[in-house]
């Protein structure tokens, strides 16, 4: 399936939901439809997609049903942590978060720059989770 890159607008990759493999990173062609979003957090590929109508989160080799997952996000002094059930992914704080207070873009939020935070925010809002990637 084709998935959108979270932080690199206009880029897509091929994702194999069975193996969790991501490859074939490239610029999107006009009119291409995607089935999910992905980011590499630290060294770990993380993909959010729909399968048979349900949200699924792939974190490296771990496949998690999104609606049943306990998802938390933390920002430390030097790293962010995405905690999903028993899996923890640590990754550098996105550079954009340091300059967020100076960003004059209307309605800009920290979750626009941090995929881990984005996932945690969706997990807290069941209506939003039901609408995403439809």
């Amino acid at each position: 399936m084709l998935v959108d890159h979270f932080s690199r607008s206009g880029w897509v990759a091929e994702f194999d939901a069975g193996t969790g493999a991501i490859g074939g990173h490239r610029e999107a062609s006009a009119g291409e439809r995607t089935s999910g979003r992905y980011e590499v957090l630290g060294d770990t590929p993380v993909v959010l997609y729909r399968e048979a109508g349900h949200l699924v989160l792939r974190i490296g080799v771990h496949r998690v049903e999104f609606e049943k997952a306990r998802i938390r996000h933390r920002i430390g002094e030097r790293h962010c942590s995405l905690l999903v059930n028993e899996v923890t992914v640590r990754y550098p704080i996105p550079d954009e978060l340091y300059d967020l207070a100076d960003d004059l873009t209307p309605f800009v939020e920290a979750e626009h720059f941090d995929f881990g935070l984005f996932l945690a925010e969706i997990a807290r809002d069941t209506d939003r989770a039901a609408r995403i990637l439809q």
Side-chain angles (χ1 to χ4, degrees):
M1 78 178 60
L2 199 61
V3 291
D4 283 310
H5 194 284
F6 179 77
S7 62
R8 197 167 178 194
S9 182
W11 282 80
V12 295
E14 292 291 336
F15 170 63
D16 182 328
T19 65
I22 298 176
H25 306 271
R26 62 177 172 79
E27 287 188 61
S29 300
E32 278 186 305
R33 294 197 39 92
T34 57
S35 301
R37 299 185 89 180
Y38 81 99
E39 183 65 81
V40 177
L41 299 178
D43 294 327
T44 306
V46 179
V47 183
L48 178 67
Y49 61 100
R50 283 207 179 266
E51 183 176 85
H54 297 280
L55 277 178
V56 177
L57 186 59
R58 185 75 182 227
I59 305 168
V61 298
H62 304 279
R63 183 187 177 283
V64 179
E65 291 181 41
F66 192 85
E67 291 91 350
K68 296 178 181 178
R70 181 172 178 218
I71 301 174
R72 298 170 317 276
H73 179 268
R74 294 195 178 108
I75 299 177
E77 288 186 31
R78 292 189 177 95
H79 290 89
C80 293
S81 296
L82 173 64
L83 304 95
V84 180
N85 297 340
E86 307 307 317
V87 178
T88 300
V89 177
R90 284 177 39 106
Y91 56 98
I93 297 171
D95 292 337
E96 296 85 355
L97 292 186
Y98 290 110
D99 302 324
L100 193 57
D102 298 326
D103 192 327
L104 299 177
T105 307
F107 309 110
V108 70
E109 301 283 343
E111 71 175 72
H112 297 146
F113 305 106
D114 182 344
F115 193 53
L117 179 58
F118 173 77
L119 295 170
E121 291 296 323
I122 291 170
R124 282 180 247 220
D125 185 342
T126 54
D127 290 337
R128 186 174 175 193
R131 292 188 313 268
I132 197 161
L133 301 174
Q134 288 292 344

